[in-house]
Each structure stands twice: as C-alpha cells, then as structure tokens.
Amino acid sequence: MLYATFINAKARMQPPIVLLIPLSASNPHRLPSTVARDDEHLLVAAAKRGDTHAFEELVNRYEAKIFRLTMNITRNREDAEDAMQDAFLKSYAHLKNFQEDSRFYTWLVRIAANEALMRLRKRRPNQFSLDEPVEGDEDLMPRELEDWGPSPEQRFAQTEMHEILSEVIDKLEPDFRVVFVLRDVEELSTEETAKALGISIPAVKSRLLRARLKLRQKLDRYFRRGATN
Amino acid sequence: MNCKGVIREISDYIDGELDLLAKQELERHLEDCEDCKMVVDQTRLTVEIFCDSKPVELPTDVKSRLHDALRRKLHEKSN
C-alpha cells in the first residue's frame, strides 16, 4: 500500500502526457493518440511513474495487434482473448522490471506469445512441442509448380484475403505457426524469436523455412493462375 | 548449387542473410532454373503478404472486457 501511495505521489509530480484531449463520449475507452509512434518510450516512462492513462494509451495502440498474435497462435477465440488480457495485465504488473533494452512492443509480444503458448499446450498437449526435432529435407521440394499470375493482393479484396490467410495459417502445424507468426507477422528478429520461445537460433531458422514453404504450398491453391476464387 | 540447395537456403536468401558466395551461387542457379525462380518469388510474396496484413479491428465485446479488466487492475493498484 505504501508503495502504491509513493507511486501515486510521484506520478502527481509529473504531467500526464496523453490526457490533453477529453475522452470521446462515443467511445469512452478510446484515448486519443496525441503523440507520434516513436514516443513509445515516453509513454512507458510515464506509465512506470504511475500514469495509468499512459499505460492505457499503450494498450489502445497495441490491443488489435496483440489479439491478432494470440489468435494466430491459439486459433481459438476464447484462449486468444484470455491470453491477450493476461498479457496486458502482466505487462502492467511487471512494468517496473522492463529494462527498456528492447521496444516495449517486443517485450509485450514475448509476454503475449508465452500466454498464448501456455493455452495452446493445455488445449493440444499431444500436438505441440517445440522440443521435437524437425524432419529432414525430403518433403521440402515443391511439386506441380504453377505461375501465380497477377499480384494476389490486387486480385482479392481485403476481407477475402484475410479469410484466405486465416484459413492457411490455421492449417499450419502449431510449432511452425508460432515461429512464422513471431518472425514474419510480428517481425521479431531470429534472436528475439529464439529468446521468446526458448529454442535455439538454428531451430527457429529450420522451422521458419518449413513454415514459409508450407504456407506457399497452401496459398498456391488460391493464387495460381486460373484458380477459381 | 542444385535445386535442393536453393530450397534449403531460400529463407536466408529472402532475409538477405546469405553470405556473398552462396548468394551468387544461388542467383546463378536461378538464372537457369525457372522452377526455383518461381518458388523463390512465391515464397517471398507469401512472406510479404502476411507481413503486410493489417490486424482486424478488435471486436467491441473483446475490447470492452479487456478495458474493464484493465481498469479493475489499475484501480486495485492505485488503492
């Protein structure tokens, strides 16, 4: 309690950096972003001083991305929501321990990925293990290649593309999916991905290669020239 | 470098992480192998499409529950 009082007293000495514009009446949860994207460290510093509005701004900024991440890993809406919620609550509870040697977002992604993985392991205990070695090269060679024709991004409407991506990623084995999502969707580095998942760098690279090739193969059915959309 | 070698290195090649010698070897192979060129291009496009995909807006009910939980936690901590 004393600790909380101290934080609040300290917070009062610092001007809050986001509550310059009143909350929207139509959406009371939404705090307007009054600052540019590269102000993340200012928001984190303010949140560490106890400015709850600054933390709420960080949540507003990243909630959709974190939900996409937890959804991509768990492929289960209930688990994804729980994982997202716990990730934000834990990041708030442990904010003081965040050393700022990486972006706050990267740190948050690691927490959210772990929350999502925990739920995935619970739901599919026999289907998911990052400890298992990946198979050999034999099955990697693509077969029946065909030109994809004009840019798929122009051929498909955004919602249709979302459905296609969701369907193909859903069919990817979880241990490949997790690595792909962290590396290619969240754009973590190989080292950050290895650290987040507690696996070696060669293991990340090996799974990423397979994930990419498998996804290419799955997308082929939608994107190949003459495919019925 | 043969086709199998290209497939093995495709990820590092796309990420620009191949050393110069391996990169040159791979690109020499691509000049003569239409199939490998297609796989490289399509794999690169696969990565780009996922990387560029925008997150869909958080469903209202999910957002509302998140912020309720958050406010409870913030309130609890400030008391």
Side-chain angles (χ1 to χ4, degrees), chain A residues 130-196:
Chain A
L130 284 164
D131 304 328
E132 287 168 16
V134 291
E135 69 262 41
D137 289 348
E138 302 73 36
D139 65 328
L140 292 180
M141 289 304 292
R143 294 172 190 91
E144 297 174 33
L145 290 162
E146 198 169 316
D147 184 20
W148 280 5
S151 165
E153 283 164 301
Q154 287 169 12
R155 273 165 55 202
F156 294 92
Q158 206 180 14
T159 46
E160 206 177 355
M161 185 62 99
H162 267 298
E163 281 168 22
I164 293 172
L165 298 186
S166 177
E167 193 172 322
V168 296
I169 208 160
D170 200 29
K171 288 182 183 150
L172 192 64
E173 294 89 331
D175 49 342
F176 295 139
R177 190 170 72 226
V178 168
V179 171
F180 179 80
V181 165
L182 291 183
R183 274 290 278 109
D184 285 344
V185 182
E186 299 307 327
E187 298 182 77
L188 261 57
S189 68
T190 304
E191 291 74 15
E192 285 167 342
T193 304
K195 207 171 158 187

Side-chain angles (χ1 to χ4, degrees), chain A residues 65-106:
Chain A
K65 288 184 81 176
I66 293 297
F67 187 60
R68 176 181 64 179
L69 166 72
T70 56
M71 192 66 199
N72 271 336
I73 293 178
T74 62
R75 306 306 299 166
N76 175 288
R77 191 175 150 138
E78 195 186 325
D79 286 351
E81 183 177 343
D82 287 349
M84 172 191 65
Q85 214 172 87
D86 283 351
F88 279 118
L89 295 179
K90 281 188 180 169
S91 69
Y92 184 71
H94 298 286
L95 196 58
K96 293 267 178 279
N97 303 329
F98 171 49
Q99 298 297 315
E100 297 179 55
D101 49 0
S102 66
R103 278 187 63 199
F104 171 76
Y105 179 67
T106 308

Side-chain angles (χ1 to χ4, degrees), chain A residues 1 4 8 28-29 52 55-56 59-60 63-65 67-68 77 81 84-85 88-89 92-93 137 140-142 145-148 152-153 158 161-162 165 168-169 180 183-184 187 205 208-209 212-213 215-216 219 223, chain B residues 3-4 7-12 14-15 17 34-36 38-43 45-59 61-74 77-79:
Chain A
M1 187 61 78
N8 284 340
H29 292 315
T52 55
F55 187 76
E56 210 166 347
V59 175
N60 284 326
E63 59 193 8
K65 288 184 81 176
F67 187 60
R68 176 181 64 179
R77 191 175 150 138
E81 183 177 343
M84 172 191 65
Q85 214 172 87
F88 279 118
L89 295 179
Y92 184 71
D137 289 348
L140 292 180
M141 289 304 292
L145 290 162
E146 198 169 316
D147 184 20
W148 280 5
E153 283 164 301
Q158 206 180 14
M161 185 62 99
H162 267 298
L165 298 186
V168 296
I169 208 160
F180 179 80
R183 274 290 278 109
D184 285 344
E187 298 182 77
K205 286 190 166 221
L208 183 65
L209 169 67
R212 286 171 168 178
L213 290 170
L215 285 172
R216 187 210 68 80
L219 285 175
F223 293 169
Chain B
C3 296
K4 202 170 171 178
I7 299 304
R8 208 167 30 231
E9 303 293 354
I10 204 167
S11 224
D12 279 347
I14 288 172
D15 292 338
E17 289 175 4
E34 274 300 311
D35 281 357
C36 280
M38 205 182 285
V39 177
V40 168
D41 289 345
Q42 291 177 354
T43 307
L45 189 57
T46 298
V47 173
E48 282 170 7
I49 286 172
F50 275 98
C51 185
D52 291 345
S53 66
K54 304 270 181 294
V56 287
E57 207 174 316
L58 202 61
D61 58 326
V62 176
K63 188 182 175 80
S64 172
R65 285 193 291 273
L66 168 66
H67 284 261
D68 286 347
L70 199 62
R71 278 165 204 272
R72 274 199 303 276
K73 182 81 175 181
L74 299 181
K77 202 158 184 183
S78 63
N79 283 331

